Amino acid sequence: FMAARVQLMNQVIIPNLQQRITVLSDRFVSSTLAYQGSMGVSWDDILSVANIVIPMQYWPACTLLLALPFKQSQERLASKVVDKDRIERRDTNFQKRVRMGYVKQHAVFPQHTILVDASDDADATFALAKTELFNFFSVVYPKNLEVPAQSVTLPGSKAQG
């Protein structure tokens, strides 16, 4: 499960960060904790491997967790027009375990997670997420805060503008 993270680090994240380009990713250790953890892999095992293969200076400064009531998430998933991937086709109990994996992360790592209310439409959620990120970075890096000249959104990410 870490091979894809290492490849992402080496091919996309590290080269862009070295150029001082902001990187947004929808797949990293947080998703590994949620998904692999929901399948029975212990967090200790996941974090042990992650700490070996991913240099600490390249870990995310924060993780956005899009908070949505479970019923609403299932309604959105059911209304999806495109084919669902193998994870999206899993049963409701699995989906609930994954959700709880993300909730647990916010409880365990509150200083590194930003909870964003995703119950509104995509544009409103994106605007709220941008505001929350700006607020986070203005507190964590107040003297270094600058709007990046460029940013990179990783392949498969849903981020926009």
Side-chain angles (χ1 to χ4, degrees), residues 75-133:
E75 290 168 357
R76 285 186 184 177
L77 188 58
S79 69
K80 208 173 164 184
V81 179
V82 297
D83 290 334
K84 294 171 183 60
D85 65 27
R86 66 182 176 81
I87 297 293
E88 293 169 328
R89 290 191 301 265
R90 298 283 303 257
D91 65 70
T92 301
N93 288 330
F94 174 78
Q95 301 297 339
K96 286 181 179 179
R97 289 192 311 272
V98 169
R99 182 180 189 280
M100 291 311 300
Y102 284 112
V103 170
K104 178 181 173 184
Q105 288 177 61
H106 182 61
V108 173
F109 308 115
Q111 72 279 18
H112 295 289
T113 57
I114 300 171
L115 212 53
V116 176
D117 179 0
S119 59
D120 210 339
D121 65 33
D123 290 335
T125 300
F126 182 67
L128 181 57
K130 285 194 313 187
T131 298
E132 291 293 338
L133 278 172

Side-chain angles (χ1 to χ4, degrees), residues 24 121-127 129-130 151-154 157-161:
L24 301 176
D121 65 33
D123 290 335
T125 300
F126 182 67
K130 285 194 313 187
S151 64
V152 61
T153 301
L154 301 179
S157 294
K158 315 285 189 291
Q160 6 169 321

Side-chain angles (χ1 to χ4, degrees), residues 28-100:
F28 207 72
V29 176
S30 58
S31 59
T32 304
L33 289 169
Y35 285 92
Q36 298 296 326
S38 71
M39 292 186 271
V41 179
S42 79
W43 276 29
D44 287 341
D45 289 344
I46 294 167
L47 292 172
S48 292
V49 171
N51 284 323
I52 292 168
V53 299
I54 301 171
M56 188 56 70
Q57 72 265 29
Y58 297 118
W59 279 62
C62 70
T63 298
L64 286 175
L65 298 178
L66 302 179
L68 188 64
F70 186 75
K71 182 178 179 189
Q72 191 176 357
S73 72
Q74 293 300 291
E75 290 168 357
R76 285 186 184 177
L77 188 58
S79 69
K80 208 173 164 184
V81 179
V82 297
D83 290 334
K84 294 171 183 60
D85 65 27
R86 66 182 176 81
I87 297 293
E88 293 169 328
R89 290 191 301 265
R90 298 283 303 257
D91 65 70
T92 301
N93 288 330
F94 174 78
Q95 301 297 339
K96 286 181 179 179
R97 289 192 311 272
V98 169
R99 182 180 189 280
M100 291 311 300

